[in-house]
Amino acid sequence: MMTSQTHDFTADAGARVRIEALAPVARFSLRVRAAGRPVLGRALGCDLPDRVGETARAGGRVALCLGPDEWLIQAGEDEADAIARAGADAYAEAPHALVEISDREVSFRVSGPAAADLLATNCPRDLDRLAVGGATRTVFDTAQVVLWREADDAFRLDVWRSFAPHVRALLEIGQAEIAAGL
Amino acid sequence: MSQFRIPGKGRVKHDEKVTFSFDGRRYEGLRGDTVASALLAHGIHLMGRSFKYHRPRGPVTADSAEPNALIGTSRGAGRFEPNTRATVQELREGLMCESQNRLGALSFDLGAVNDALHPLFPAGFYYKTFMWPRSFWDRLYEPVIRRAAGLGRAPSEVDPDRYASRYLHTDLLVVGGGPAGIAAALEAARAGVRVTLVDETPEMGGSLLSDPEVEIDGQAAWDWLAAALDELRARGVRLMTRTTAIGYYHQNMIGLCEKLTDHLDTLPENAPRERMWRVRATRVVLAQGALEKPLVFHGNDRPGVMLAGAAQSYLHRWGVKVGERAVIVTSHDSAWHAAFDLAEAGTKIVAIVDTRAALADELRAEARVRGIEVLAGHTVTGTRGRLRVASVTVNPVENGRVGDPRMLHCDCLLMSGGWTPSLHLFSHTKGSLQWDEASRTFLPGRMTEDCHIAGAGRGLWGYLDALSDGAEAGAAAARALGHAVEPTGFAVAHDRPGTGESHKELPTDRRSHRVRAFVDFQNDVTAKDLRLAVREGMRSIEHVKRYTTNGMATDQGKMSNINGLMIASDAVGKAPPEVGLTTFRPPYTPTSFGAFAGYKRGATFEVTRATPIDAFAEANGAVFEPVSLWRRAWYFPQGGEDMEAAVARECLATRGGVGIFDASTLGKIEVAGPDAVEFMNRMYTNPWTKLAPGRCRYGVLLGEDGYIRDDGVIGRLSDDLFHVTTTTGGAARVLNMMEDYLQTEWPDLDVWLTSTTEQWATVALNGPKAREVLDGLVEGVDISAEAMPHMSVAECRVAGFRARLFRLSFTGELGFEVNVPARHGLALWEALMEAGKPHGITPYGTETMHVLRAEKGFIIVGQDTDGTVTPDDAGLGWAIGKKKPDFVGKRSLARPDLVAGGRKQLVGLMTEDGAVKLEEGAQIVLDPDQPKPMKMVGHVTSSYRSATLGRSIAMALIEDGRAREGETVHVPMPDGVVRAKVTSTMFYDPDGERLKL
Amino acid sequence: MLLIHCPYCDQTLPEAEFAYAGEAHIARPEDPSQLSDEEWRDFLFIRSNLKGPHFERWRHVHGCARFFNAVRDTVSDRFLLTYRAGEPRPDLSTPEAAQ
């Protein structure tokens, strides 16, 4: 028989997916040729993975390989000056660009059992193929984002500051839609 | 209980009543009904009027192919939808429906006069009748035709519903939840494939829902179905009902439109009405089944005439008899089963009229058992009945001769012209069709996508074949995905295989001009129209289609295309495959604009970028303007000021004291590395080698074609580090262009580019008091005129924040631009406002910025240039490093067409009457008295009222403009010709004295 | 929406992350000043506009940000292969390339 009037209302809608704005961190864009990669890895105290989408972590610092010669370096906010200095000190040995972009992006965390569904409202990637611990640059609607998979049901999005209200608005629309259970 | 409902029968809930209204009258239906099944249960067939002739029409199908029963539905303000198929719309409590395209009552439609006048409306009548006189078209013909012909009325209110979208990635998408689709999904799911199964109706099962007598693997059809669906769910298959695959796009991307709330009595809060799924499937199985074709005969559109398969569905799915006395007319075995099922349910089957002379013995025997008269080798030559069929005239056909008529009384006529595979989605992929002479229909041929087609969708008829073929398709998909699998077999009892033949219009004894045999019910196209089109010279099926509009209605020719082809190919005298089928295009069924728009409406229609200082502008009453994706403060009106007054005040305050401006949207690119200066030399026209760290230069960027692409002030922070600024709109484009050269032309250069547009908030201070405002806030650098001359840059602290401080000017006044990390932008702004208070600091917006720069003759790329302007055209020849061997665009500056005379050059324009302001974009002529069309020598690019100068100023691109300085040119406008003098673009302080503060 | 294989990420990804960048294997001349007007015109404006396999450039702009080359059939819109910028123009007549 037809069950046309039933659908899955969830008692606690907020529990299905949460959206949080995250506190600022120190962020740098690092560009260096392959030959200089080990030098910069040593200088920054964190290996630089060589496959796009892979991350390495050491002492609270994270290096994400975004492109063949591009890494996103992330650390606690108070480490920004130390990172900049370490880069400057290594410049003569391994020329590179280390540009602070801490303020360029803001971050959101999307978590909960429906987190992947919420991202699938506007992200065309197959999220099943984004491994926990990995990250990638992609798009959310028309906004470029760096999408991190922190856990099976937790993601982080780094969004250029001026695009953040748009991304947030879309996330909230999707959250309400998921809460509606349809 | 309504008269035509059979108690306990069907898949509706007999104990759950649902009330709705149709044309203002209340009716009761059952949960699970469609509007059509509920009205039919009340004996109502008349549901609408036809598009052109206003002929009374009733449902001819029980599914989404319905061309006739189109209604308007509503659930209150803004939630009105026209052209909804009554055969698809599920009942919900309080649903309001109305019939369409009628003038007056549905049962007495004044527009039906069109039907009496039908000889006036043959195919192509638009092109023939209303050619002359031209003026009659706008005033008379079109309004009258528009009122008389058409479908539903367009909604006039904003749609308050939400629409959603979602991406979905799946190994296998199965389209169609009938026996073939379910078998495919089962097979693949058992092999471990990630499967999604979709069906456009509220229930999986397809034709099984209308054939409960069939037994599969020893189970009654509906029991087998329930068990199969349970297994699919248990295996994690995503089952999606009310979900239509509307389009099949490249590389197995399928668009699905899922209807979420139209069937619900009440709307859950925030629930989207529909969701568009963009599915990427590694493999696809199309199991869409087949569409039943009508027969084409005089009066085949009367209410009560419907497809036999539809009557069978109404009986089994909704427990509704479509009439008490039925005549069957068919060319296919399937209608016989419908007749037998209806007879069991108590409908009197007056006769089965089959166009075929030779019939299967089993069918004859079954008919005999039920006492049904069989008329083999017969045709139908007409029907009667004003608003409902009351009788049908049948005639024997022998050796092509139509014999004597016999009238059969009935209240419904059930027809079947056989079945044609649903080829729409396959056709979207540009898959080729193959004519099958045996079944006289098109079957899917060569595939272009990773796709399998199963069941009736490739011409297989009967449940055993459909199930086995579905399983084989599921297994093939699983194998393609790397799973080893052998398809399971099925045992089917009481199967209903069958054959039939295809027809053009049925033979008739009526004189041809008196035959109204409809092919396309929705667009009111008759067989005669198609033949007329061929007679009038249309040979291609594409021309026939457009001339007659056959197959061009919202049903996409689901019922009409094959019949239309049979008739057209007969008229042309070619075999059907030589004539060919027109292309089916997405969407498969009508799809709401909302579903396509998804989240792109209202505030999320498009990204709106705001700067860190936007909150100040918002709080201080700024009027905003969009600049690329940004919203920027345009001007800051005070009191009751209009734009002109506000801009005049902002300009005077800046030139007289100090103005503050949010320049954060400027593009910023960090160019870093040992080869940074070499890279800059190659990209920009200017020379950079000798620019000392701490100094800035205005840079011009060309395309390789020699035209200006962008400009901006560039600071050298150290030997290896440049801070490049770009225009607001050009930021992404310029970075892309630079990356292109760096990655693909000069990969040897050790230099890297990083966008810092949003790392920095940028505040510009301009005016003679700018330094006084800044003085107390700057640490770490001396900003005196001597220590920090015009075009300097320094890293320091401003208002306590780490800063990059530029001394530059886009206004001609003493100017600074302070860059601080974006999160501090608003705090910096507020600190500067506070420090500027004693100096009367005035916030200004983009309009004042534009006026001030125009007074100095500074260009805006994209306003004073349009992609065809060289540096020399723009008066920027000085910015070209002539000694550099090469830079992007340099070679083009020697192109013959760029060095020839007659180029349009940027000049100033002063109207003779300073109170008159030219219009931007206005065309310029030398002689206003020349005959039209006049020779236009250029156009106005920028035009403002200058409060500083007390008059209007403008810039223009004019042929050989600089040589015309001092001449008068003319700007013809609707209310007269404006005279203006060609001048220099430097309207104010041409010697730059004010920068020397 | 197409799927495109990025030769740097070694992943097949949605078109929304990519941007088209014109015909491939049109190198900027070493010294443009040595070119005649006609040669320079051809470099600037003359493109093959093929029906069939077309050598073209794409950028994985919202991914690894690399420009790369692709062969796309302009009739079917199918990508035959993609390869890194700077690699030689592949010979489509070999069986591997034809895959």
Side-chain angles (χ1 to χ4, degrees), chain A residues 2 4-5 31 33 77 91 95 100-104 120 124-125 128 141 160 162-163 177 180 182, chain B residues 13 166-167 169 194 242 263 269 275 599-600 609 674 720 747 749-750 753 755 758-759 802 822-823:
Chain A
M2 309 188 88
S4 54
Q5 289 295 301
R31 304 288 299 276
R33 288 187 188 274
E77 230 197 329
Y91 186 80
E100 183 171 0
I101 50 167
S102 305
D103 284 40
R104 191 176 73 176
R125 281 253 183 160
D128 286 356
D141 186 32
W160 279 28
S162 68
F163 288 85
E177 172 188 320
L182 277 177
Chain B
K13 291 186 174 171
R166 195 78 63 92
Y167 290 94
H169 303 264
R194 188 169 59 153
R242 300 187 179 90
H263 63 291
E269 200 187 348
R275 177 178 290 120
Y599 304 115
K600 294 195 179 295
R609 304 175 70 181
D720 293 359
L749 291 187
D750 267 336
L753 314 170
S755 171
E758 298 223 43
Q759 167 68 16
R802 192 164 64 83
R823 82 185 77 163

Side-chain angles (χ1 to χ4, degrees), chain B residues 47-83:
Chain B
M47 295 186 196
R49 289 277 174 170
S50 73
F51 175 70
K52 194 157 84 172
Y53 301 124
H54 288 246
R55 285 167 70 92
R57 292 277 171 83
V60 65
T61 74
D63 57 35
S64 67
E66 178 58 34
N68 279 346
L70 305 181
I71 55 172
T73 64
S74 173
R75 80 187 315 160
R79 293 191 163 97
F80 173 79
E81 184 183 79
N83 303 332

Side-chain angles (χ1 to χ4, degrees), chain B residues 84 127 161 168 218 323 339 379 433 497 569 611 631 634 901 956:
Chain B
T84 305
Y127 313 121
D161 278 314
L168 176 67
T379 184
L433 303 179
S569 63
T611 74
R631 73 164 201 166
W634 195 8

Side-chain angles (χ1 to χ4, degrees), chain B residues 180-200:
Chain B
I182 289 172
L186 276 174
E187 204 61 48
R190 285 171 187 161
V193 173
R194 188 169 59 153
V195 182
T196 303
L197 172 64
V198 303
D199 194 274
E200 62 175 339

Side-chain angles (χ1 to χ4, degrees), chain B residues 171 188 191-194 475 477-485:
Chain B
D171 294 338
V193 173
R194 188 169 59 153
R479 281 194 293 270
L481 290 160
H483 303 267
V485 55

